[in-house]
Amino acid sequence: MGSQRETIVIIGAGVVGVSIAYFTTKRLVSEHPDPESRPRVILLEQCEPGCSASGKSGGFLARQWSDSTDTEQLARFSYDLHAKLAEEHDGASRWGY
């Protein structure tokens, strides 16, 4: 029998679960170049990704909405990360942003 690989299971494919799966996989690829030895990442969802609360939001991002609040730093980081990921994955041509 072949070697056993670790399996990471993430439950919930909303924005948080998908983000965890994405960044976990990205890190594992850099740390384990050989796909056969790389831990697997499994994302579980009861219906389909974004089918619950994450999929019902309007998807509107505003960088200034949290200014002068306790969440200002998180909001700015999230906004900047969204732009970085869109650039990294050619969002302009793939999704229009």
Side-chain angles (χ1 to χ4, degrees), residues 75-96:
R76 290 181 178 274
F77 175 80
S78 298
Y79 187 90
D80 294 344
L81 179 60
H82 184 270
K84 178 183 173 190
L85 290 170
E87 183 178 322
E88 185 177 321
H89 293 280
D90 194 22
S93 65
R94 294 177 72 186
W95 308 297

Side-chain angles (χ1 to χ4, degrees), residues 1-2 4 6-7 10 12 14 17 20-21 24 30 35 45 54 57-58 63 69 72 74 76 83 85-86 89 91:
M1 189 149 85
Q4 295 269 354
E6 292 178 353
T7 300
I10 300 162
I20 292 169
T24 299
S30 70
E45 176 57 62
S54 292
S57 66
R63 197 167 199 266
T69 69
E72 178 179 0
L74 177 62
R76 290 181 178 274
L85 290 170
H89 293 280

Side-chain angles (χ1 to χ4, degrees), residues 2 9 39 46 52 54 79 97:
V9 178
Q46 65 179 347
S52 294
S54 292
Y79 187 90
Y97 57 87

Side-chain angles (χ1 to χ4, degrees), residues 17-79:
V18 169
S19 295
I20 292 169
Y22 174 80
F23 285 105
T24 299
T25 301
K26 191 171 180 175
R27 182 170 181 168
L28 289 171
V29 166
S30 70
E31 292 177 356
H32 302 273
D34 176 18
E36 296 302 317
S37 66
R38 184 181 307 140
R40 292 175 291 208
V41 176
I42 297 175
L43 181 61
L44 300 176
E45 176 57 62
Q46 65 179 347
C47 47
E48 61 186 34
C51 68
S52 294
S54 292
K56 306 299 184 258
S57 66
F60 183 74
L61 291 173
R63 197 167 199 266
Q64 297 84 10
W65 277 10
S66 296
D67 284 0
S68 301
T69 69
D70 293 339
T71 60
E72 178 179 0
Q73 187 176 5
L74 177 62
R76 290 181 178 274
F77 175 80
S78 298
Y79 187 90

